[in-house]
C-alpha cells in the first residue's frame, strides 16, 4: 500500500517528526495534547496562541443566520499574546485579588476578580438528562445517488458532499461516568445540508424500551441511580431498572440487546447505528416510501467482553472517546455506510406482519436488505469540547425536503421533547445560533430577540404579510425547495389512550434475537442477566425477571436461574417460532484490521530489528503499534533506537487488540509491590515481571491474538497460555508471527478460546 493510499502511515510519520525530544525527533503516537512540544521551564516571551493540532477543526464560519463569512477559524478564536478581561483590556496580574494591604480584606471594586469568578460559577450548563457523556467529531457525508428513486433530499445526491457533526454517547451515566459501562449508546448525526439541517438522532440498538414517548420519563427514572443515594452510576444492575422492565414487558426486546455484547462496544468506530423509528421518504414526484435508517461501520461490529469492560472502566474511563480522537488524529478515519431498509407505504404500515410504527420491533435484514445510500467519514476532532460536543443540539424535528416522520408514538413525542430540552439546556430559543448548530443554508425566519440573540436583524416588519420590508420574506413552493409535509391520511376515531393490538406481542422478537446468536454470544447473555439480576436486592424482582426470560427461551431461563440459585419457572404458554436472522450476530465474519492496536513487548535484549520491522508493517497495514517495555525511554542506541510508548507500570491488556512478544524481558526495576500492587511480592525471584504476566494472561483470557518469538514463548508458558491453544502464534521471526496475528484480528477475537454449553 502506497503512502498516498494509507493516511494512517503518513499522518503517523508526520506526528513522529513533530514530537521533539532532547535528542531530536521521536516516534509519536496519538494523544499529543497540544500542537507544539512544551519546554520544561515556563515560557516568558510573549507570543500569540498556538494553532490547533492538524487533526482539529471548529464549526464552519457562518453567521448566526447561515451566511458564509469568509473568516478563517482563527479569526473567531481567542487571539493576542496578552491576557485580557472579557472586554479586551490587558491585565497585569491574575493571581492575586485586590486587597486593602497584603493582609487586608478583598475590595469590592476588584472587577477582574468578580468577572473571573462569576464566569467560572456559570461555565457549566445543565447537562443532558440522558446522553450526558458524549464524544464527537466532524466529518463529511458523500451521497451515492442510489437513494434518488425514493428521496429527493439533496444531500443524498450522487457525490454530493455534506459537512456533518456526529456525537456518540452513553445514555444513563452522568458526564463523569465511564465509557465502557453496559448501556445503550447514542449515535446522533447533524447534516449541514444545502437545504437546512437534518438531524438523524439514533442509537446503537435498533429498538427501544418503550412504545410511547409518555413512558420515557419512567424508563429513565428507573434506569438512573436510585434517587435516595444517587447510586449506582451508569448502570442498569439495580432494582429500579429491573423492577420497571419486568413489569413493563414491552422493554424485553431492548433489554435483551443490552444484555448482549451490543451493550459493551469495543469502540465507537466499531458500532452500528440505527434510526430506530420508521421514517417516510418522498421522491421528486411526491411518491412515498417507508424506511428504517442503518449505519454500518466499515470495521465491523465488535464488542468488549465483560471482564475487559470492567477493567477498562477503572484503568481508562475515557476509553471510547480516546479511541475515537486518537484514530482521527492518526489518520485512520472512521467510516460508516448509511443504508436504508425500504417498505411500501401501505395504509396498514406493516411489512411481513411486523408493525412498522412499533419502535420495539425490527425488520430482519433477510426480509428487507439494507441498501447503502452514502458514506460517512469522520476526519477532524473538535477544537473545544464545550463549544461543540456539549452545546450541539439535536432534534428529530430538524428535517429537510424528502424526509418526513410517521405516526410512531415514540417518535411523535420526541418531536416535542427535543426542542423543549434544548430551550432548557441552552438558555433560550436562540440555540440554533451557536456556531456548532448553525445551518449552512440562508436563514430568514422572522424570529426575534430572546436570550442570547447574537444576530443583528434588519428591517422593520418581522411579520407576514408586510409591505414595509418589500414583502420579504416570501413563502416558497415545493418547486422552490420548501419543506411540505406529506398529506398522509389520518385515521378517524375516538380520542383514546391506547396502543394498537399489534403492539401487544412483547416476546416473539426477543426470541428471534436469542435464536440468532451464536453459542458464545448466548453464554455472554446468560452471564449478563445473571450478573445484573444478582446485583438486585429484592427477591421478587429476580423471580419476576425469570418469568420474563421463560417467555423468551427455556434454556436461557434455566441457566440464569441456576446462577441466581432459584428455580426456573415454566413459560406458561408455547414459545414463538421465528426464523433466526444471522445478520444480528457479531460472530462469523472477517473485517479489515485498520486502526487495531497491537502491543509489542520488548526490552534492550529483544529482537529490536524485528520490532522495527513489525512497527513498519503494522503502520503499512493501517494498524497502530505501541512498544511496551520494563521502563520508558528508548531501546537500543543510535538512529535505530526504538521509542517506548508504554511500560509494564502503565500498560494494561484492555488497550490492545493483540499482543506480541519480541523476547522475554526481565523484571522492571520498579517491580515492587509497594509501588505497584500488580508487581506482587518484592522479594520474588521470578525472572518475568508479574505485570507482564498479568497483561498476557488477561489478553489470553479475553480471546485476543497473542504472538511470540525470540524466547517470548517462555513468557506465554509462565502466564499459563498453552502454546498450542487457538490464537497463540509462535514462530522464528517477526514477519511470520505478524502475518498470522493479522489474520486472527479479522475475526476480532479468537472465539474458539471460549468454551460453550449452549
Amino acid at each position: 500500500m502506497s503512502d498516498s493510499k494509507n493516511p494512517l502511515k503518513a499522518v503517523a510519520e508526520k506526528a513522529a517528526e513533530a514530537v521533539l525530544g532532547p535528542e531530536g525527533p521521536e516516534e509519536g503516537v496519538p494523544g499529543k495534547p497540544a500542537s507544539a512540544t512544551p519546554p520544561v521551564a515556563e515560557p516568558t516571551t510573549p507570543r500569540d496562541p498556538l494553532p490547533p493540532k492538524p487533526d482539529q477543526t471548529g464549526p464552519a464560519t457562518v453567521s448566526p443566520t447561515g451566511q458564509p463569512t469568509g473568516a478563517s477559524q482563527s479569526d473567531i478564536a481567542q487571539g493576542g499574546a496578552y491576557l485580557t478581561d472579557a472586554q479586551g483590556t490587558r491585565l497585569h496580574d491574575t493571581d492575586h485579588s485586590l486587597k486593602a494591604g497584603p493582609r487586608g480584606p478583598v475590595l469590592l471594586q476588584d472587577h477582574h476578580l468578580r468577572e473571573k469568578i462569576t464566569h467560572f460559577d456559570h461555565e457549566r450548563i445543565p447537562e443532558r438528562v440522558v446522553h450526558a457523556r458524549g464524544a464527537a467529531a466532524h466529518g463529511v457525508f458523500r451521497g451515492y445517488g442510489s437513494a434518488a428513486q425514493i428521496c429527493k433530499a439533496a444531500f443524498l445526491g450522487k457525490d454530493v458532499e455534506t459537512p456533518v457533526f456526529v456525537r456518540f454517547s452513553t445514555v444513563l451515566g452522568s458526564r463523569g461516568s465511564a465509557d465502557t459501562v453496559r448501556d445503550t449508546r447514542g449515535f446522533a448525526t447533524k447534516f449541514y445540508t444545502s437545504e437546512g439541517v437534518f438531524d438523524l438522532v439514533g442509537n446503537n440498538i435498533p429498538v427501544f424500551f418503550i412504545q410511547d414517548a409518555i413512558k420515557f420519563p419512567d424508563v429513565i427514572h428507573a434506569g438512573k441511580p436510585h434517587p435516595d443515594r444517587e447510586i449506582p452510576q451508569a448502570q442498569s444492575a439495580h432494582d429500579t431498572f429491573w423492577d420497571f422492565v419486568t413489569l413493563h414487558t414491552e422493554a424485553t426486546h431492548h433489554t435483551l440487546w443490552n444484555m448482549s455484547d451490543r451493550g459493551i462496544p469495543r469502540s465507537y468506530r466499531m458500532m452500528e447505528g440505527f434510526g430506530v423509528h420508521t421514517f417516510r421518504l418522498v421522491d421528486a414526484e411526491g411518491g412515498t416510501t417507508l424506511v428504517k435508517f442503518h449505519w454500518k461501520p466499515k470495521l465491523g461490529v465488535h464488542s468488549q467482553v465483560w471482564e475487559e469492560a470492567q477493567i477498562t472502566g477503572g484503568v481508562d474511563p475515557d476509553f471510547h472517546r480516546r479511541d475515537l480522537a486518537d484514530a482521527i488524529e492518526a489518520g485512520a478515519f472512521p467510516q460508516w455506510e448509511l443504508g436504508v431498509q425500504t417498505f411500501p407505504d401501505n395504509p396498514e404500515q406493516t411489512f411481513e406482519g411486523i408493525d412498522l410504527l412499533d419502535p420495539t420491533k425490527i425488520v430482519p435484514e433477510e426480509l428487507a436488505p439494507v441498501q447503502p445510500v452514502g458514506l460517512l467519514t469522520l476526519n477532524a476532532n473538535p477544537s473545544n469540547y464545550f463549544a461543540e460536543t456539549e452545546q450541539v443540539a439535536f432534534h428529530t424535528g430538524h428535517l429537510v425536503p424528502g424526509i418526513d416522520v410517521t405516526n410512531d408514538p415514540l417518535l411523535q413525542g420526541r418531536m416535542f421533547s427535543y426542542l423543549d430540552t434544548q430551550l432548557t439546556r441552552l438558555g433560550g430559543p436562540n440555540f440554533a445560533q451557536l456556531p456548532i448548530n448553525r445551518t449552512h443554508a440562508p436563514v430568514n425566519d422572522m424570529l426575534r430577540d430572546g436570550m442570547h440573540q447574537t444576530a443583528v436583524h434588519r428591517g422593520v416588519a418581522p411579520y407576514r404579510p408586510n409591505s414595509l420590508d418589500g414583502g420579504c420574506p416570501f413563502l416558497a413552493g415545493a418547486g422552490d425547495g420548501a419543506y411540505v409535509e406529506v398529506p398522509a391520511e389520518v385515521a378517524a376515531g375516538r380520542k383514546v389512550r391506547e396502543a394498537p393490538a399489534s403492539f401487544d406481542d412483547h416476546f416473539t422478537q426477543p426470541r428471534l434475537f436469542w435464536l440468532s446468536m451464536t453459542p458464545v454470544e448466548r453464554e455472554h447473555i446468560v452471564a449478563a442477566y445473571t450478573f445484573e439480576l444478582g446485583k438486585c436486592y429484592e427477591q421478587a424482582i429476580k423471580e419476576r425477571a425469570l418469568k420474563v426470560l421463560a417467555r423468551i427461551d427455556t434454556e436461557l431461563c434455566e441457566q440464569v436461574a441456576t446462577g441466581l440459585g432459584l428455580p426456573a419457572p415454566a413459560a406458561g404458554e408455547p414459545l414463538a417460532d421465528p426464523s433466526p436472522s444471522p445478520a444480528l450476530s457479531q460472530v462469523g465474519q472477517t473485517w479489515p484490521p485498520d486502526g487495531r492496536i497491537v502491543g509489542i513487548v520488548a526490552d534492550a535484549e529483544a529482537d529490536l530489528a524485528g520490532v522495527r520491522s513489525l512497527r513498519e508493517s503494522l503502520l503499512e497495514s493501517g494498524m497502530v503499534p505501541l512498544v511496551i517495555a520494563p521502563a520508558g525511554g528508548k531501546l537500543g542506541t543510535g538512529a535505530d533506537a526504538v521509542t517506548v510508548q508504554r511500560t509494564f507500570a502503565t500498560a494494561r491488556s484492555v488497550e490492545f487488540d493483540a499482543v506480541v512478544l519480541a523476547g522475554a524481558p526481565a523484571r522492571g526495576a520498579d517491580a515492587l509491590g509497594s509501588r505497584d500492587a500488580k508487581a506482587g511480592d518484592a522479594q520474588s525471584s521470578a525472572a518475568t515481571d508479574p505485570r507482564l504476566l498479568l497483561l498476557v494472561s488477561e489478553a489470553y483470557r479475553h480471546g485476543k491474538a497473542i504472538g511470540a518469538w525470540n524466547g517470548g514463548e517462555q513468557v506465554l508458558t509462565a502466564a499459563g497460555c498453552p502454546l498450542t491453544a487457538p490464537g497463540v502464534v509462535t514462530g522464528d521471526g517477526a514477519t511470520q508471527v505478524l502475518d498470522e496475528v493479522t489474520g486472527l484480528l479479522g475475526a476480532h477475537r479468537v472465539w474458539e478460546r471460549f468454551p460453550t454449553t449452549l
Side-chain angles (χ1 to χ4, degrees):
M1 181 184 292
S2 68
D3 288 357
S4 62
K5 296 182 179 180
N6 186 359
L8 172 64
K9 182 173 185 291
V11 175
E13 289 178 345
K14 182 177 180 181
E17 294 171 0
V19 181
L20 300 178
E23 298 178 1
E26 293 184 352
E27 296 155 337
V29 294
K32 183 180 178 184
S35 59
T37 302
V40 175
E42 179 183 358
T44 56
T45 303
R47 58 152 298 155
D48 286 334
L50 292 172
K53 296 192 298 179
D55 62 290
Q56 295 177 321
T57 189
T61 54
V62 293
S63 74
T65 55
Q67 308 297 325
T69 65
S72 69
Q73 292 192 342
S74 62
D75 289 342
I76 58 174
Q78 299 229 326
Y82 294 93
L83 178 68
T84 73
D85 64 16
Q87 312 307 315
T89 302
R90 291 182 180 181
L91 299 168
H92 75 95
D93 190 325
T94 191
D95 297 325
H96 307 93
S97 301
L98 187 65
K99 300 185 288 291
R103 300 176 60 84
V106 174
L107 300 179
L108 182 62
Q109 74 178 71
D110 192 345
H111 58 90
H112 175 46
L113 167 70
R114 293 178 63 194
E115 179 186 74
K116 187 175 181 180
I117 295 299
T118 297
H119 194 280
F120 171 79
D121 290 343
H122 295 269
E123 65 185 26
R124 294 288 178 269
I125 63 175
E127 72 174 26
R128 291 165 168 84
V129 177
V130 289
H131 302 281
R133 180 170 179 83
H138 295 272
V140 63
F141 177 83
R142 179 173 59 83
Y144 292 161
S146 53
Q149 295 180 346
I150 58 172
C151 185
K152 63 182 180 181
F155 78 97
L156 294 174
K158 184 172 177 55
D159 294 329
V160 173
E161 293 195 347
T162 301
V164 298
F165 189 70
V166 179
R167 188 178 189 271
F168 304 100
S169 57
T170 53
V171 172
L172 291 178
S174 67
R175 278 190 59 186
S177 58
D179 280 347
T180 57
V181 296
R182 183 181 294 280
D183 196 1
T184 305
R185 265 73 182 176
F187 191 136
T189 306
K190 185 175 290 290
F191 297 82
Y192 302 96
T193 85
S194 61
E195 300 175 296
V197 168
F198 169 54
D199 287 345
L200 181 54
V201 195
N203 287 335
N204 74 318
I205 290 177
V207 293
F208 203 62
F209 289 108
I210 54 175
Q211 295 167 328
D212 192 307
I214 200 170
K215 296 298 296 180
F216 192 71
D218 299 291
V219 67
I220 296 304
H221 288 167
K224 285 285 189 175
H226 291 199
D228 55 346
R229 300 187 180 187
E230 188 65 10
I231 56 174
Q233 176 63 241
Q235 296 181 49
S236 55
H238 55 87
D239 289 79
T240 58
F241 174 80
W242 287 99
D243 184 41
F244 177 83
V245 299
T246 56
L247 290 171
H248 202 65
T249 54
E250 69 191 49
T252 302
H253 193 191
H254 189 163
T255 303
L256 184 60
W257 277 74
N258 246 22
M259 295 302 107
S260 77
D261 291 341
R262 300 280 186 146
I264 42 176
R266 158 63 179 84
S267 163
Y268 290 137
R269 299 179 291 128
M270 304 164 193
M271 187 176 83
E272 273 186 304
F274 303 91
V276 179
H277 310 286
T278 298
F279 291 82
R280 179 178 279 112
L281 301 189
V282 185
D283 63 29
E285 284 71 44
T288 60
T289 305
L290 300 182
V291 304
K292 286 184 176 289
F293 289 108
H294 295 246
W295 289 111
K296 296 285 189 181
K298 284 290 194 176
L299 298 181
V301 187
H302 308 299
S303 299
Q304 291 194 322
V305 295
W306 178 231
E307 185 194 40
E308 186 182 13
Q310 290 178 297
I311 295 172
T312 306
V315 173
D316 186 4
D318 305 310
F319 184 75
H320 282 156
R321 62 172 62 182
R322 190 187 313 280
D323 175 271
L324 177 68
D326 283 357
I328 293 172
E329 183 180 352
F333 300 141
Q335 291 185 317
W336 292 259
E337 276 194 316
L338 178 63
V340 293
Q341 289 179 295
T342 62
F343 319 103
D345 190 0
N346 54 37
E348 298 78 21
Q349 296 181 314
T350 62
F351 182 79
E352 298 288 340
I354 300 168
D355 194 325
L356 296 175
L357 300 187
D358 184 349
T360 69
K361 305 290 195 300
I362 63 166
V363 177
E365 293 182 30
E366 290 76 12
L367 297 179
V370 176
Q371 305 170 55
V373 298
L375 180 68
L376 167 69
T377 303
L378 298 183
N379 54 22
N381 287 311
S383 56
N384 184 278
Y385 182 92
F386 177 82
E388 299 168 78
T389 307
E390 186 64 14
Q391 288 197 128
V392 65
F394 296 98
H395 178 21
T396 50
H398 291 165
L399 301 165
V400 292
I403 303 177
D404 204 349
V405 299
T406 59
N407 291 341
D408 175 339
L410 178 59
L411 176 57
Q412 291 282 312
R414 292 177 77 191
M415 296 292 284
F416 166 80
S417 180
Y418 278 70
L419 178 58
D420 187 53
T421 293
Q422 309 308 349
L423 290 173
T424 299
R425 287 188 61 249
L426 300 174
N430 292 308
F431 63 85
Q433 295 182 11
L434 293 168
I436 194 62
N437 296 320
R438 292 177 183 176
T439 179
H440 295 189
V443 173
N444 196 347
D445 55 20
M446 293 196 301
L447 304 177
R448 292 294 184 268
D449 308 335
M451 292 283 286
H452 311 306
Q453 176 62 257
T454 57
V456 181
H457 294 101
R458 297 179 180 177
V460 297
Y463 52 82
R464 274 195 47 81
N466 76 73
S467 62
L468 293 177
D469 279 345
C472 186
F474 299 90
L475 298 177
D480 303 309
Y483 185 90
V484 181
E485 290 81 1
V486 174
E489 293 289 336
V490 177
R494 297 175 296 123
K495 293 186 292 184
V496 296
R497 292 186 181 272
E498 297 176 1
S502 56
F503 279 35
D504 291 343
D505 181 2
H506 300 165
F507 297 102
T508 297
Q509 289 222 329
R511 180 158 176 77
L512 163 66
F513 184 80
W514 170 260
L515 295 176
S516 303
M517 296 295 100
T518 60
V520 68
E521 290 171 303
R522 293 184 187 183
E523 295 281 2
H524 292 169
I525 292 172
V526 168
Y529 271 102
T530 305
F531 176 88
E532 297 253 331
L533 291 170
K535 288 284 189 176
C536 291
Y537 180 86
E538 298 293 347
Q539 187 81 351
I541 292 175
K542 300 177 186 180
E543 293 176 4
R544 191 190 310 139
L546 290 175
K547 290 183 178 181
V548 172
L549 295 182
R551 301 283 302 276
I552 300 173
D553 184 81
T554 301
E555 190 166 24
L556 168 62
C557 179
E558 291 175 348
Q559 293 291 331
V560 175
T562 298
L564 296 176
L566 295 173
E573 55 187 85
L575 299 178
D577 188 29
S579 299
S581 171
L584 297 177
S585 172
Q586 297 182 197
V587 178
Q589 302 183 59
T590 57
W591 303 93
D594 304 41
R596 295 295 183 152
I597 300 174
V598 178
I600 307 171
V601 179
D603 66 359
E605 305 303 319
D607 174 17
L608 297 184
V611 171
R612 288 190 292 271
S613 172
L614 196 67
R615 290 188 76 258
E616 185 67 20
S617 297
L618 287 167
L619 287 169
E620 288 284 355
S621 300
M623 292 183 275
V624 178
L626 296 177
V627 176
I628 311 165
K634 291 179 177 289
L635 302 178
T637 59
D640 291 334
V642 175
T643 299
V644 175
Q645 283 93 25
R646 299 290 187 272
T647 67
F648 293 166
T650 62
R652 198 69 185 263
S653 65
V654 294
E655 184 175 8
F656 309 107
D657 296 290
V659 175
V660 296
L661 297 103
R667 292 171 63 96
D670 62 346
L672 306 172
S674 57
R675 296 185 188 176
D676 187 346
K678 299 190 299 299
D681 184 0
Q683 305 302 316
S684 173
S685 59
T688 306
D689 195 306
R691 296 168 297 181
L692 176 57
L693 295 178
L694 178 64
L695 186 151
V696 172
S697 64
E698 284 180 350
Y700 179 83
R701 193 163 65 245
H702 298 157
K704 297 179 180 180
I706 300 173
W709 80 98
N710 191 43
E713 301 87 346
Q714 303 170 30
V715 178
L716 299 185
T717 301
C721 306
L723 300 183
T724 57
V728 176
V729 179
T730 59
D732 296 329
T735 301
Q736 176 189 345
V737 170
L738 178 62
D739 287 345
E740 293 190 45
V741 166
T742 300
L744 292 166
L745 282 172
H748 180 59
R749 293 190 191 276
V750 184
W751 298 108
E752 300 85 347
R753 213 180 283 161
F754 296 100
T756 62
T757 60
L758 297 173

